[in-house]
Amino acid sequence: MKIVHTASEMFPYLKTGGLADVTGALCKSLSRFGHDISFFIPGYRKILESPEFSKAKLKVVLQIELGEDYLRGEVYAVPIGKRQTLYIIRRDEFFDRSNPYGSGNRDYDDNDRRFIWFCKAIVEAMHVLEIKADIFHCHDWQTGLAPLFLRMLEQEHRTTLALKTFFSIHNLAFQGLFPSSSFRFTNLADEFNELDGIEFYEQISMIKGGIFFADKILTVSPNYAKEILTSDFGCGMEGALSVREDDLVGIANGIDYEVWNPETDALLPANYSSKDLSGKLLCRKKLLDTVGLSDTDQPVYGIVCRLTEQKGLDLLLKQMNFFIKNDCRLVVLGMGDPFYERALKRWAKSHPDKIGVCMVLDEGMSHLVEAGSDFYLMPSIFEPCGLNQMYSQRYGTPPLVSDVGGLHDTVVDFRENEESGTGFLFAPKDDAFKKALEHSLKIFSSKESMNRMRLNGMSRDFSWSNVVKEYESLYSESL
Ligand code: ADP
Ligand code: GLC
C-alpha cells in the first residue's frame, strides 16, 4: 500500500512525548512490511538543524491561502531507509522556533494559523507532487483538519489523493481549540462552522475535524476507545465520538525494540537480559550516582513523564512520605507545569539523599531511569496508551499503574495473577495507590516473587511487528 502519514512529531526528528515514538516506530514497521510511506512534518528548528535536513531536496514552493492572505511555504523531501520519504514543510515564520507548541507554559498565540496552514500545505503538496495514497493517516489535533481539506481539494480539482482517510487520537485532552474568529483561516464555507462541523461550544476544534471527516477513527488502546465514549474521559467530545462509534477502533501501541532493548541499549552503562540481570544492578548504581542519591536496600522508584495533571502527580505528591519513611528512593525525570516542578524540587531539597528530580528532556536519562529503577510509577488519571509502562516491563522494572486507558490493556496485576502478573494496577485514588506501593515493598523483600514479576514482564511481546499487522488489516479492510 501507499500510505501517507502526518503528525507534528516523529522520533528521532522531533519528540515531546509518546506521539513521536509511535509515529516513528509505526512508519518504520509499515515500511519494513513492504508499504511505501510518506511522512509530512512541519519544518521545526530542530529538524532544520538535523543531519537529515542537510540531505533534503527542495521539491516545490507553495502559496497557501490562509484567510485573506497567501502564505509561501517550501516542501523538502529526504529518503529515509528504503521505503520512507520524509516531507518537511517549511515556513520559518511559523516553525523555526525552539519549541514546537509554546514557550514556557503558554501556547503560542498563532497556533491556529500555524496548524491550519500546515494542514492545508500537506494536501496541497500531495496534489502538486502527485502523491496518490491508498491511505492518508493523520495524528492528533495539529493535523485534524487535513482529512477535510483533502476531500475539499479533491472536489475542487476533480482528483483523488487518497482512497481512505484515518485519524488517530493520541490524547483527547489536547483538542486544538481556538476562538470562533479563527475559523476564517480555514477558508471553509460557513456550514462547516456548525455543530456537525468543527464548531465546539462557540469555538472551533481541530480534533473535531478529524473525528467528523476522517473515514476511520483510531485511538491508541482498546480500553481508551471505550472510555472516550463516556463523559468521564470524553473531554466533551463523547457526543461527537458516539456519532462515529461504528468507525472507532482502539489498537494498543507497541514499543520499538531497536530503541528500547536492555540487551543492546547503547544509552545504558551496562546491558542485561532476563537470563543475566547483573547489568541492571550497575544501571541502578549509575542512576543513584547520577541523581546524587545514597544507596539503600529498599526499592528505587522511577518516573519519567511530562509534569502535568494527567500523569497523576497529585497522587504522587500525597505519597512522598511513603518513600522517605521506608528509606526508598524516588527519581523523577520530567518537565512541565511549574506547580509540580516547584513541589518536587522542594521535596528533593528537603530530602536530597532520597528524592531526586531532573527537570530536563533527556533521552539517555529516560533509558537509565527505566533500567536503574526497581519499580516504575505511572499513577495517571487517564492514559490513552502510555509507553513507559511497556518500556519498564521490557527493562525488568515492574510498573505500578492506574487501572485506566492503555495501562489496563498492557499491565497484568501480580496480586491477581502471580503466574503472569507483571506489575500492579490500582484505581487512581490515594488509598489504592498507597496500598499498591505498600504491596510493592512486600514483594521487593521476596527475591523469588520479585524475580518472577520481573521475568513475566520481560518476556511479554510488545513489538511493533505484531501491532503493525492490526494496522495492516484495518487499512486493507477499509479499501
Ligand atoms: P505522553 O505521550 O502522554 O507524554 P507516553 O508514555 O506515551 O506519554 O510517552 C512519553 C514519552 O516521552 C516516553 O518515551 C518518555 O520516555 C518520554 N519522556 C517524557 N518526559 C521525558 C523527559 N523529561 N526526558 C526524556 N524523555 C521523556
Ligand atoms: C499521548 C498519550 C499517551 C500515548 C501517546 C502515544 O501523548 O498521552 O498515553 O501513549 O500519545 O500514542
PDB file of all heavy atoms in Angstrom, residues 1 20 26-27 44 67 74 148 158 167 194 213-214 251 264 271 289 303 343-344 378-379 394 418 428-429 454:
ATOM      1  N   MET A   1       0.840  -1.205   0.000  1.00  0.00           N
ATOM      2  CA  MET A   1       0.000   0.000   0.000  1.00  0.00           C
ATOM      3  C   MET A   1       0.867   1.244   0.000  1.00  0.00           C
ATOM      4  O   MET A   1       1.981   1.246   0.506  1.00  0.00           O
ATOM      5  CB  MET A   1      -0.875   0.010   1.261  1.00  0.00           C
ATOM      6  CG  MET A   1      -2.099  -0.872   1.161  1.00  0.00           C
ATOM      7  SD  MET A   1      -3.089  -0.844   2.682  1.00  0.00           S
ATOM      8  CE  MET A   1      -2.397  -2.231   3.568  1.00  0.00           C
ATOM      9  N   ALA A  20       5.576  10.978  19.164  1.00  0.00           N
ATOM     10  CA  ALA A  20       6.764  10.837  18.310  1.00  0.00           C
ATOM     11  C   ALA A  20       7.229   9.387  18.269  1.00  0.00           C
ATOM     12  O   ALA A  20       7.532   8.843  17.192  1.00  0.00           O
ATOM     13  CB  ALA A  20       7.888  11.726  18.829  1.00  0.00           C
ATOM     14  N   LEU A  26       5.802   3.189  14.062  1.00  0.00           N
ATOM     15  CA  LEU A  26       4.743   2.675  13.187  1.00  0.00           C
ATOM     16  C   LEU A  26       5.161   2.792  11.718  1.00  0.00           C
ATOM     17  O   LEU A  26       5.030   1.833  10.944  1.00  0.00           O
ATOM     18  CB  LEU A  26       3.441   3.451  13.457  1.00  0.00           C
ATOM     19  CG  LEU A  26       2.257   3.219  12.523  1.00  0.00           C
ATOM     20  CD1 LEU A  26       1.810   1.755  12.544  1.00  0.00           C
ATOM     21  CD2 LEU A  26       1.057   4.099  12.914  1.00  0.00           C
ATOM     22  N   CYS A  27       5.697   3.965  11.345  1.00  0.00           N
ATOM     23  CA  CYS A  27       6.083   4.144   9.936  1.00  0.00           C
ATOM     24  C   CYS A  27       7.249   3.231   9.568  1.00  0.00           C
ATOM     25  O   CYS A  27       7.266   2.633   8.492  1.00  0.00           O
ATOM     26  CB  CYS A  27       6.430   5.611   9.660  1.00  0.00           C
ATOM     27  SG  CYS A  27       4.959   6.640   9.710  1.00  0.00           S
ATOM     28  N   TYR A  44      10.299  22.325  11.850  1.00  0.00           N
ATOM     29  CA  TYR A  44      10.724  22.929  13.126  1.00  0.00           C
ATOM     30  C   TYR A  44      12.236  23.155  13.119  1.00  0.00           C
ATOM     31  O   TYR A  44      12.973  22.491  12.386  1.00  0.00           O
ATOM     32  CB  TYR A  44      10.392  21.985  14.296  1.00  0.00           C
ATOM     33  CG  TYR A  44       8.913  21.804  14.535  1.00  0.00           C
ATOM     34  CD1 TYR A  44       8.314  20.557  14.396  1.00  0.00           C
ATOM     35  CD2 TYR A  44       8.111  22.882  14.903  1.00  0.00           C
ATOM     36  CE1 TYR A  44       6.955  20.384  14.627  1.00  0.00           C
ATOM     37  CE2 TYR A  44       6.755  22.718  15.133  1.00  0.00           C
ATOM     38  CZ  TYR A  44       6.186  21.470  14.991  1.00  0.00           C
ATOM     39  OH  TYR A  44       4.855  21.307  15.209  1.00  0.00           O
ATOM     40  N   GLY A  67      -7.006  32.595   5.321  1.00  0.00           N
ATOM     41  CA  GLY A  67      -7.854  33.783   5.468  1.00  0.00           C
ATOM     42  C   GLY A  67      -7.692  34.647   4.247  1.00  0.00           C
ATOM     43  O   GLY A  67      -7.883  34.183   3.111  1.00  0.00           O
ATOM     44  N   GLU A  74       7.711  25.999   1.688  1.00  0.00           N
ATOM     45  CA  GLU A  74       8.560  25.166   0.846  1.00  0.00           C
ATOM     46  C   GLU A  74       8.456  23.721   1.320  1.00  0.00           C
ATOM     47  O   GLU A  74       8.385  23.467   2.511  1.00  0.00           O
ATOM     48  CB  GLU A  74      10.027  25.613   0.973  1.00  0.00           C
ATOM     49  CG  GLU A  74      10.288  26.969   0.348  1.00  0.00           C
ATOM     50  CD  GLU A  74      11.480  27.667   0.985  1.00  0.00           C
ATOM     51  OE1 GLU A  74      12.178  27.046   1.816  1.00  0.00           O
ATOM     52  OE2 GLU A  74      11.696  28.842   0.655  1.00  0.00           O
ATOM     53  N   LEU A 148     -10.362  16.735   6.050  1.00  0.00           N
ATOM     54  CA  LEU A 148     -11.392  17.563   5.424  1.00  0.00           C
ATOM     55  C   LEU A 148     -10.813  18.370   4.264  1.00  0.00           C
ATOM     56  O   LEU A 148     -11.384  18.394   3.168  1.00  0.00           O
ATOM     57  CB  LEU A 148     -12.009  18.501   6.491  1.00  0.00           C
ATOM     58  CG  LEU A 148     -13.002  19.549   5.988  1.00  0.00           C
ATOM     59  CD1 LEU A 148     -14.200  18.894   5.298  1.00  0.00           C
ATOM     60  CD2 LEU A 148     -13.509  20.410   7.152  1.00  0.00           C
ATOM     61  N   ARG A 158     -11.277  17.788  -8.975  1.00  0.00           N
ATOM     62  CA  ARG A 158     -11.789  16.524  -9.549  1.00  0.00           C
ATOM     63  C   ARG A 158     -10.676  15.478  -9.648  1.00  0.00           C
ATOM     64  O   ARG A 158     -10.328  14.987 -10.721  1.00  0.00           O
ATOM     65  CB  ARG A 158     -12.376  16.760 -10.935  1.00  0.00           C
ATOM     66  CG  ARG A 158     -13.596  17.634 -10.896  1.00  0.00           C
ATOM     67  CD  ARG A 158     -14.102  17.954 -12.279  1.00  0.00           C
ATOM     68  NE  ARG A 158     -15.219  18.863 -12.151  1.00  0.00           N
ATOM     69  CZ  ARG A 158     -16.460  18.504 -11.860  1.00  0.00           C
ATOM     70  NH1 ARG A 158     -16.770  17.250 -11.678  1.00  0.00           N
ATOM     71  NH2 ARG A 158     -17.412  19.403 -11.735  1.00  0.00           N
ATOM     72  N   PHE A 167      -7.851   8.906  11.115  1.00  0.00           N
ATOM     73  CA  PHE A 167      -7.418   9.911  12.084  1.00  0.00           C
ATOM     74  C   PHE A 167      -7.180   9.227  13.428  1.00  0.00           C
ATOM     75  O   PHE A 167      -8.061   8.551  13.953  1.00  0.00           O
ATOM     76  CB  PHE A 167      -8.481  11.012  12.241  1.00  0.00           C
ATOM     77  CG  PHE A 167      -8.084  12.071  13.223  1.00  0.00           C
ATOM     78  CD1 PHE A 167      -7.018  12.924  12.944  1.00  0.00           C
ATOM     79  CD2 PHE A 167      -8.742  12.222  14.441  1.00  0.00           C
ATOM     80  CE1 PHE A 167      -6.614  13.905  13.857  1.00  0.00           C
ATOM     81  CE2 PHE A 167      -8.354  13.198  15.354  1.00  0.00           C
ATOM     82  CZ  PHE A 167      -7.297  14.045  15.056  1.00  0.00           C
ATOM     83  N   GLU A 194     -20.420  24.699  12.178  1.00  0.00           N
ATOM     84  CA  GLU A 194     -21.650  24.353  12.890  1.00  0.00           C
ATOM     85  C   GLU A 194     -21.458  23.063  13.661  1.00  0.00           C
ATOM     86  O   GLU A 194     -20.397  22.456  13.604  1.00  0.00           O
ATOM     87  CB  GLU A 194     -22.790  24.227  11.886  1.00  0.00           C
ATOM     88  CG  GLU A 194     -23.141  25.623  11.367  1.00  0.00           C
ATOM     89  CD  GLU A 194     -24.292  25.647  10.389  1.00  0.00           C
ATOM     90  OE1 GLU A 194     -24.933  24.601  10.181  1.00  0.00           O
ATOM     91  OE2 GLU A 194     -24.531  26.742   9.833  1.00  0.00           O
ATOM     92  N   PHE A 213     -14.557  14.057   9.943  1.00  0.00           N
ATOM     93  CA  PHE A 213     -14.345  13.991   8.493  1.00  0.00           C
ATOM     94  C   PHE A 213     -13.390  12.899   8.024  1.00  0.00           C
ATOM     95  O   PHE A 213     -13.222  12.716   6.826  1.00  0.00           O
ATOM     96  CB  PHE A 213     -13.927  15.365   7.966  1.00  0.00           C
ATOM     97  CG  PHE A 213     -15.007  16.395   8.191  1.00  0.00           C
ATOM     98  CD1 PHE A 213     -14.898  17.323   9.208  1.00  0.00           C
ATOM     99  CD2 PHE A 213     -16.159  16.374   7.420  1.00  0.00           C
ATOM    100  CE1 PHE A 213     -15.915  18.241   9.445  1.00  0.00           C
ATOM    101  CE2 PHE A 213     -17.188  17.287   7.648  1.00  0.00           C
ATOM    102  CZ  PHE A 213     -17.062  18.226   8.660  1.00  0.00           C
ATOM    103  N   ALA A 214     -12.753  12.172   8.955  1.00  0.00           N
ATOM    104  CA  ALA A 214     -11.931  11.040   8.510  1.00  0.00           C
ATOM    105  C   ALA A 214     -12.855   9.832   8.312  1.00  0.00           C
ATOM    106  O   ALA A 214     -13.897   9.726   8.953  1.00  0.00           O
ATOM    107  CB  ALA A 214     -10.864  10.725   9.540  1.00  0.00           C
ATOM    108  N   ILE A 251      -6.300   0.393  18.955  1.00  0.00           N
ATOM    109  CA  ILE A 251      -5.183  -0.560  18.818  1.00  0.00           C
ATOM    110  C   ILE A 251      -4.087  -0.097  19.777  1.00  0.00           C
ATOM    111  O   ILE A 251      -3.612   1.038  19.674  1.00  0.00           O
ATOM    112  CB  ILE A 251      -4.609  -0.567  17.377  1.00  0.00           C
ATOM    113  CG1 ILE A 251      -5.673  -0.966  16.354  1.00  0.00           C
ATOM    114  CG2 ILE A 251      -3.390  -1.492  17.286  1.00  0.00           C
ATOM    115  CD1 ILE A 251      -5.175  -0.975  14.907  1.00  0.00           C
ATOM    116  N   THR A 264      20.719  -4.437  24.201  1.00  0.00           N
ATOM    117  CA  THR A 264      21.547  -3.733  23.206  1.00  0.00           C
ATOM    118  C   THR A 264      21.592  -2.222  23.429  1.00  0.00           C
ATOM    119  O   THR A 264      22.291  -1.517  22.719  1.00  0.00           O
ATOM    120  CB  THR A 264      20.955  -3.953  21.796  1.00  0.00           C
ATOM    121  OG1 THR A 264      19.565  -3.596  21.844  1.00  0.00           O
ATOM    122  CG2 THR A 264      21.090  -5.391  21.351  1.00  0.00           C
ATOM    123  N   ASN A 271      24.562  -3.546  29.779  1.00  0.00           N
ATOM    124  CA  ASN A 271      23.386  -4.218  29.201  1.00  0.00           C
ATOM    125  C   ASN A 271      23.051  -5.453  30.015  1.00  0.00           C
ATOM    126  O   ASN A 271      23.872  -5.952  30.784  1.00  0.00           O
ATOM    127  CB  ASN A 271      23.645  -4.571  27.732  1.00  0.00           C
ATOM    128  CG  ASN A 271      23.764  -3.324  26.886  1.00  0.00           C
ATOM    129  OD1 ASN A 271      24.805  -3.004  26.334  1.00  0.00           O
ATOM    130  ND2 ASN A 271      22.677  -2.579  26.799  1.00  0.00           N
ATOM    131  N   ASP A 289      23.920   7.388  41.499  1.00  0.00           N
ATOM    132  CA  ASP A 289      25.076   8.306  41.455  1.00  0.00           C
ATOM    133  C   ASP A 289      24.749   9.559  40.662  1.00  0.00           C
ATOM    134  O   ASP A 289      25.049  10.679  41.080  1.00  0.00           O
ATOM    135  CB  ASP A 289      26.287   7.635  40.785  1.00  0.00           C
ATOM    136  CG  ASP A 289      26.911   6.606  41.719  1.00  0.00           C
ATOM    137  OD1 ASP A 289      26.524   6.581  42.906  1.00  0.00           O
ATOM    138  OD2 ASP A 289      27.754   5.815  41.241  1.00  0.00           O
ATOM    139  N   ILE A 303      10.156   7.513  37.684  1.00  0.00           N
ATOM    140  CA  ILE A 303       9.037   8.057  36.903  1.00  0.00           C
ATOM    141  C   ILE A 303       9.598   9.025  35.858  1.00  0.00           C
ATOM    142  O   ILE A 303      10.500   9.806  36.167  1.00  0.00           O
ATOM    143  CB  ILE A 303       7.983   8.717  37.844  1.00  0.00           C
ATOM    144  CG1 ILE A 303       6.820   9.344  37.074  1.00  0.00           C
ATOM    145  CG2 ILE A 303       8.560   9.752  38.764  1.00  0.00           C
ATOM    146  CD1 ILE A 303       5.605   9.606  37.976  1.00  0.00           C
ATOM    147  N   ALA A 343       6.937  21.925  43.525  1.00  0.00           N
ATOM    148  CA  ALA A 343       6.638  20.999  44.627  1.00  0.00           C
ATOM    149  C   ALA A 343       7.690  19.890  44.685  1.00  0.00           C
ATOM    150  O   ALA A 343       8.205  19.554  45.765  1.00  0.00           O
ATOM    151  CB  ALA A 343       5.250  20.406  44.431  1.00  0.00           C
ATOM    152  N   LEU A 344       8.054  19.342  43.538  1.00  0.00           N
ATOM    153  CA  LEU A 344       9.029  18.246  43.528  1.00  0.00           C
ATOM    154  C   LEU A 344      10.409  18.734  43.946  1.00  0.00           C
ATOM    155  O   LEU A 344      11.128  18.047  44.683  1.00  0.00           O
ATOM    156  CB  LEU A 344       9.077  17.602  42.133  1.00  0.00           C
ATOM    157  CG  LEU A 344       7.855  16.751  41.798  1.00  0.00           C
ATOM    158  CD1 LEU A 344       7.773  16.473  40.307  1.00  0.00           C
ATOM    159  CD2 LEU A 344       7.880  15.427  42.586  1.00  0.00           C
ATOM    160  N   MET A 378       3.342   5.021  37.454  1.00  0.00           N
ATOM    161  CA  MET A 378       2.521   5.693  36.448  1.00  0.00           C
ATOM    162  C   MET A 378       1.100   5.838  36.987  1.00  0.00           C
ATOM    163  O   MET A 378       0.179   5.148  36.537  1.00  0.00           O
ATOM    164  CB  MET A 378       2.555   4.867  35.157  1.00  0.00           C
ATOM    165  CG  MET A 378       2.476   5.726  33.927  1.00  0.00           C
ATOM    166  SD  MET A 378       3.199   4.875  32.536  1.00  0.00           S
ATOM    167  CE  MET A 378       2.550   5.857  31.211  1.00  0.00           C
ATOM    168  N   PRO A 379       0.921   6.737  37.969  1.00  0.00           N
ATOM    169  CA  PRO A 379      -0.419   6.852  38.580  1.00  0.00           C
ATOM    170  C   PRO A 379      -1.362   7.776  37.804  1.00  0.00           C
ATOM    171  O   PRO A 379      -2.136   8.537  38.396  1.00  0.00           O
ATOM    172  CB  PRO A 379      -0.082   7.444  39.962  1.00  0.00           C
ATOM    173  CG  PRO A 379       1.173   8.234  39.755  1.00  0.00           C
ATOM    174  CD  PRO A 379       1.920   7.622  38.598  1.00  0.00           C
ATOM    175  N   ARG A 394       9.733  -4.288  29.809  1.00  0.00           N
ATOM    176  CA  ARG A 394      10.836  -4.790  28.981  1.00  0.00           C
ATOM    177  C   ARG A 394      12.187  -4.706  29.711  1.00  0.00           C
ATOM    178  O   ARG A 394      13.072  -5.526  29.504  1.00  0.00           O
ATOM    179  CB  ARG A 394      10.871  -3.916  27.718  1.00  0.00           C
ATOM    180  CG  ARG A 394      11.935  -4.228  26.739  1.00  0.00           C
ATOM    181  CD  ARG A 394      11.618  -5.496  25.990  1.00  0.00           C
ATOM    182  NE  ARG A 394      12.555  -5.749  24.911  1.00  0.00           N
ATOM    183  CZ  ARG A 394      12.760  -6.941  24.398  1.00  0.00           C
ATOM    184  NH1 ARG A 394      12.103  -7.978  24.849  1.00  0.00           N
ATOM    185  NH2 ARG A 394      13.623  -7.100  23.416  1.00  0.00           N
ATOM    186  N   GLU A 418      -0.300 -14.366  40.025  1.00  0.00           N
ATOM    187  CA  GLU A 418       1.146 -14.438  40.245  1.00  0.00           C
ATOM    188  C   GLU A 418       1.873 -15.136  39.093  1.00  0.00           C
ATOM    189  O   GLU A 418       3.051 -14.904  38.863  1.00  0.00           O
ATOM    190  CB  GLU A 418       1.448 -15.157  41.563  1.00  0.00           C
ATOM    191  CG  GLU A 418       1.030 -14.338  42.760  1.00  0.00           C
ATOM    192  CD  GLU A 418       1.834 -14.647  44.004  1.00  0.00           C
ATOM    193  OE1 GLU A 418       2.733 -15.506  43.934  1.00  0.00           O
ATOM    194  OE2 GLU A 418       1.552 -14.021  45.050  1.00  0.00           O
ATOM    195  N   PRO A 428      -7.124   5.098  40.307  1.00  0.00           N
ATOM    196  CA  PRO A 428      -6.352   6.323  40.533  1.00  0.00           C
ATOM    197  C   PRO A 428      -6.875   7.127  41.722  1.00  0.00           C
ATOM    198  O   PRO A 428      -7.414   8.217  41.600  1.00  0.00           O
ATOM    199  CB  PRO A 428      -6.506   7.096  39.214  1.00  0.00           C
ATOM    200  CG  PRO A 428      -7.686   6.525  38.538  1.00  0.00           C
ATOM    201  CD  PRO A 428      -7.911   5.142  39.068  1.00  0.00           C
ATOM    202  N   LYS A 429      -6.727   6.527  42.901  1.00  0.00           N
ATOM    203  CA  LYS A 429      -7.190   7.149  44.149  1.00  0.00           C
ATOM    204  C   LYS A 429      -6.077   6.992  45.174  1.00  0.00           C
ATOM    205  O   LYS A 429      -5.297   6.044  45.119  1.00  0.00           O
ATOM    206  CB  LYS A 429      -8.427   6.410  44.674  1.00  0.00           C
ATOM    207  CG  LYS A 429      -9.577   6.322  43.687  1.00  0.00           C
ATOM    208  CD  LYS A 429     -10.843   6.909  44.300  1.00  0.00           C
ATOM    209  CE  LYS A 429     -11.879   7.280  43.278  1.00  0.00           C
ATOM    210  NZ  LYS A 429     -12.454   6.161  42.549  1.00  0.00           N
ATOM    211  N   ARG A 454       9.407  -9.655  37.534  1.00  0.00           N
ATOM    212  CA  ARG A 454      10.344  -9.072  36.552  1.00  0.00           C
ATOM    213  C   ARG A 454      10.364  -9.864  35.260  1.00  0.00           C
ATOM    214  O   ARG A 454      10.205  -9.321  34.177  1.00  0.00           O
ATOM    215  CB  ARG A 454      11.773  -9.147  37.116  1.00  0.00           C
ATOM    216  CG  ARG A 454      12.131  -8.003  37.973  1.00  0.00           C
ATOM    217  CD  ARG A 454      13.652  -7.794  37.963  1.00  0.00           C
ATOM    218  NE  ARG A 454      13.907  -6.554  38.614  1.00  0.00           N
ATOM    219  CZ  ARG A 454      14.573  -6.414  39.756  1.00  0.00           C
ATOM    220  NH1 ARG A 454      15.063  -7.476  40.362  1.00  0.00           N
ATOM    221  NH2 ARG A 454      14.747  -5.238  40.282  1.00  0.00           N
TER     222      ARG A 454
END
